Amino acid sequence: MTAHDPNYNFAYLDEQTKRMIRRALLKALAIPGYQVPFASREMPMPYGWGTGGVQVTAACLTPEDTLKVIDQGADDTTNAVSIRKFFERTAGVAVTGHTAEASLIQTRHRIPETPLTEGQILVYQVPIPEPLRFLEPRETETRRMHALEEYGLMYVKLYEDIAHNGEISTAYAYPVRVEGRYVMDPSPIPRFDNPKLESAAIQLFGAGREQRIYALPPYCRVTSLDFEDHPFDPSKADHDCDLCGCGTSYLDEVIVDDAGGRMFVCSDTDFCAGRQAEGHQGRLSRKETA
Amino acid sequence: MTPLLQAKGVTKRYGARLGCGDVSFDLYPGEVMGIVGESGSGKSTLLSCLAGHLVPDAGKVIYDTRAQGPRDVLALPEPERRMLGRTDWAFVHQNPRDGLRMGVSAGANVGERLMAVGARHYGQIREQAVDWLGRVEIAPDRIDDRPRAFSGGMQQRLQIARNLVTGPRLVFMDEPTGGLDVSVQARLLDLLRGLVREMGLSAIVVTHDLAVVRLLADRLMVMKDGAVVETGLTDQVLDDPQHGYTQLLVSSVLQV
């Protein structure tokens, strides 16, 4: 651990703000899936880049934490690199790319393939916390619908999917029901990740622009909504990873030339690198290094 | 016989202005009541108060619920009142855009109320949607089209299907034929009359069109300046109007 930049308070936010966010977090954990309003602060980054997640991370960080930041599964893309640098500078915490070593993970749009353990915290960046938003534009009305458990409208969306595409085509931000009560938007994670929402780790969701925090306590029951005759299917591309050969991880499709060539690679870079280090190989692995 | 709906002294004021004043009536099961009057006479205000969309300043609205018998609707807890609103009651708006969800397909519009009361089987929901589209004379191949692609008359028929799919007992209609041309109006009225008779619905129809009440309503209430000036059987009121305003109203209808 290195010392943080003395011009900033630890983890950028002032202590009163962090207390306010922690109070919201405790309330969110006490009512799983319920959206708790909080006084979101202006952060030194644009809305949509993870201002909510960053504030939640700042409120949870301690100097002893080890931080990992994921952007679409990768540790080395712009968003992940800049948020990691931000907390290295303002909090001086240790950072890592390895899921198992991290005590706090901020993520955008993925849950790590490596199962999380008790004691870990996973922080999601959320663009639109309200699962009913595109069906019902009035916030007063959606709040009332949550309060009265009127979730028929959520099924209208799934009905539309099947009517137009023959199957539930919602591939990300797939709505879930938490502990049989609140319907929650799990942030734009692929629906492949939905079963992983039932986890040993604490999961916190922060939406900066929309000023909402919600949470899933460990081992919380999370069910994906579906129809009796169209059950939930956590689908993925029907391939193995071309670098590590894994057949069970979520894959990114990468176009490699202008002649229709493509490859599939694990979206979780840490998981893929770990498997390659263990000697697993895929279709496009370099043979000479084997 | 217990009345299905009882209004007792329903009064609604907008500041100093009177919306509707001291309206009382009983509606019995299977009965269709018309409320007529000129614009601004308080018809729609009264209907909104009865349907629970507006809270009246005074009075009671008592509805004979299936489970618990007569209950004061205004004193019901909100979840129960909203449940009533999407199971036992239906509300047909004058403008179908107010009553339909324009962004989703016709099938989803009809299925929404079913899903709202717990239907979770896609095949069955779709089957019922097809059935109801057929009953309101919309071709089954239009089921996946959005209401935007429908004509005004079709939108209105879709709204009716969407409202009746859960088998309500009481339908509120606010100018159901407003804004439609006469031939479409006639077809819609024919359809409504058939459905009301076939399902044994009770209905309260607000309109300024005397032809609509003549065809649909058993009983008539004439309103002027927020007050009820005359009530009676439809034919009796229209053929032998007693109050000066009713006489004016009846004589204002153009004879072609």
Side-chain angles (χ1 to χ4, degrees):
Chain A
M1 192 194 111
T2 49
H4 68 87
D5 187 333
N7 292 313
Y8 293 103
N9 188 36
F10 177 76
Y12 186 78
L13 291 174
D14 61 279
E15 294 303 314
Q16 283 304 316
T17 300
K18 286 195 276 185
R19 283 183 62 178
M20 175 270 294
I21 295 173
R22 285 174 198 144
R23 277 198 292 268
L25 287 171
L26 288 175
K27 184 170 180 183
L29 280 164
I31 319 171
Y34 173 72
Q35 298 168 43
V36 183
F38 80 110
S40 175
R41 296 291 191 258
E42 197 82 16
M43 295 302 282
M45 60 202 293
Y47 287 124
W49 287 35
T51 51
V54 161
Q55 289 178 78
V56 171
T57 301
C60 292
L61 269 185
T62 64
E64 295 76 34
D65 269 321
T66 306
L67 179 70
K68 170 180 162 80
V69 184
I70 310 169
D71 174 10
Q72 307 266 19
D75 286 287
D76 49 6
T77 51
T78 320
N79 203 276
V81 170
S82 29
I83 292 175
R84 203 159 51 222
K85 254 168 67 184
F86 175 76
F87 281 117
E88 273 186 284
R89 180 172 168 200
T90 58
V93 291
V95 295
T96 180
H98 299 301
T99 304
E101 288 172 12
S103 57
L104 199 158
I105 304 170
Q106 179 172 338
T107 183
R108 174 170 178 259
H109 306 184
R110 268 321 300 283
I111 297 176
E113 302 288 352
T114 314
L116 300 175
T117 55
E118 288 180 19
Q120 286 185 309
I121 300 177
L122 185 60
V123 176
Y124 295 78
Q125 302 171 194
V126 182
I128 293 159
E130 178 52 72
L132 301 162
R133 174 59 65 241
F134 292 111
L135 303 155
E136 173 54 62
R138 288 167 294 177
E139 176 72 17
T140 48
E141 186 64 18
T142 54
R143 282 209 210 181
R144 187 167 290 143
M145 290 161 82
H146 280 295
L148 302 177
E149 280 187 80
E150 287 181 5
Y151 291 130
L153 193 54
M154 204 68 249
Y155 285 88
V156 171
K157 178 177 157 54
L158 303 181
Y159 171 96
E160 281 290 274
D161 275 359
I162 304 174
H164 291 294
N165 304 309
E167 58 176 318
I168 299 179
S169 56
T170 303
Y172 64 95
Y174 192 104
V176 294
R177 188 122 196 217
V178 181
E179 284 290 336
R181 179 59 182 87
Y182 284 100
V183 164
M184 185 188 95
D185 182 339
S187 89
I189 59 171
R191 70 176 176 196
F192 174 81
D193 281 344
N194 270 20
K196 286 188 264 175
L197 288 166
E198 287 190 1
S199 164
I202 295 176
Q203 299 172 78
L204 308 173
F205 299 77
R209 178 180 43 209
E210 304 284 326
Q211 313 199 322
R212 292 288 184 277
I213 282 172
Y214 50 104
L216 294 173
Y219 305 111
C220 196
R221 190 158 48 88
V222 181
T223 32
S224 305
L225 301 184
D226 57 8
F227 284 106
E228 286 159 17
D229 48 347
H230 286 266
F232 173 71
D233 168 32
S235 63
K236 66 182 269 285
D238 193 15
H239 288 270
D240 294 341
C241 174
D242 284 334
L243 295 181
C244 76
C246 183
T248 55
S249 69
Y250 191 72
L251 301 174
D252 285 340
E253 183 179 7
V254 183
I255 291 173
V256 289
D257 54 32
D258 58 1
R262 60 195 57 201
M263 66 187 289
F264 289 89
V265 289
C266 292
S267 123
D268 187 336
T269 52
D270 167 51
F271 177 77
C272 196
R275 277 179 57 89
Q276 290 176 60
E278 286 168 17
H280 294 282
Q281 289 199 332
R283 185 173 63 91
L284 298 175
S285 298
R286 282 198 207 93
K287 301 297 179 213
E288 67 270 23
T289 57
Chain B
M1 194 166 168
T2 329
L4 188 65
L5 189 80
Q6 290 173 278
K8 290 186 175 169
V10 175
T11 305
K12 172 75 188 171
R13 294 180 171 280
Y14 297 108
R17 242 190 309 280
L18 185 70
C20 62
D22 197 25
V23 179
S24 303
F25 65 88
D26 291 348
L27 183 77
Y28 286 89
E31 194 178 30
V32 179
M33 194 170 75
I35 303 176
V36 294
E38 60 193 3
S39 297
S41 60
K43 311 184 296 276
S44 296
T45 299
L46 175 63
L47 195 71
S48 298
C49 286
L50 296 175
H53 297 174
L54 280 178
V55 182
D57 299 321
K60 279 183 176 173
V61 179
I62 295 164
Y63 177 72
D64 185 18
T65 57
R66 282 183 218 232
Q68 292 159 308
R71 298 277 304 271
D72 186 355
V73 177
L74 304 166
L76 277 184
E78 195 177 2
E80 284 181 42
R81 193 165 60 234
R82 284 172 68 109
M83 192 59 171
L84 208 58
R86 57 177 191 264
T87 53
D88 249 17
W89 289 4
F91 198 103
V92 178
H93 293 264
Q94 172 175 11
N95 187 341
R97 280 176 188 77
D98 297 335
L100 290 173
R101 220 167 264 290
M102 299 304 281
V104 300
S105 68
N109 264 295
V110 177
E112 184 182 340
R113 269 169 82 108
L114 294 171
M115 293 184 249
V117 294
R120 296 290 181 263
H121 190 284
Y122 175 80
Q124 289 166 6
I125 293 168
R126 194 152 173 97
E127 217 170 90
Q128 288 213 47
V130 170
D131 175 44
W132 266 99
L133 289 182
R135 290 209 217 177
V136 297
E137 298 163 17
I138 295 175
D141 63 339
R142 301 297 302 269
I143 186 167
D144 291 333
D145 291 350
R146 295 190 173 171
R148 278 186 226 293
F150 286 7
S151 68
M154 277 172 84
Q155 287 182 0
Q156 195 58 286
R157 277 179 278 144
L158 179 61
Q159 195 194 175
I160 289 163
R162 167 187 161 90
N163 270 293
L164 297 188
V165 66
T166 49
R169 293 197 294 164
L170 177 60
V171 187
F172 299 99
M173 291 188 239
D174 190 3
E175 305 270 14
T177 57
L180 300 176
D181 68 61
V182 281
S183 61
V184 175
Q185 261 190 35
R187 272 180 66 199
L188 187 75
L189 280 175
D190 206 36
L191 177 79
L192 269 177
R193 194 162 56 162
L195 287 172
V196 164
R197 295 283 177 266
E198 181 191 325
M199 299 176 71
L201 296 174
S202 304
I204 298 178
V205 186
V206 159
T207 182
H208 55 243
D209 187 343
L210 294 182
V212 171
V213 287
R214 176 77 94 174
L215 278 171
L216 277 180
D218 305 313
R219 220 147 49 92
L220 202 58
M221 228 161 69
V222 184
M223 290 186 73
K224 170 137 177 60
D225 299 332
V228 177
V229 294
E230 188 166 351
T231 58
L233 297 175
T234 305
D235 293 344
Q236 176 195 335
V237 173
L238 292 182
D239 295 340
D240 182 19
Q242 299 297 312
H243 190 272
Y245 173 71
T246 317
Q247 292 169 352
L248 180 70
L249 196 69
V250 171
S251 62
S252 306
V253 176
L254 283 177
Q255 300 295 331
V256 185

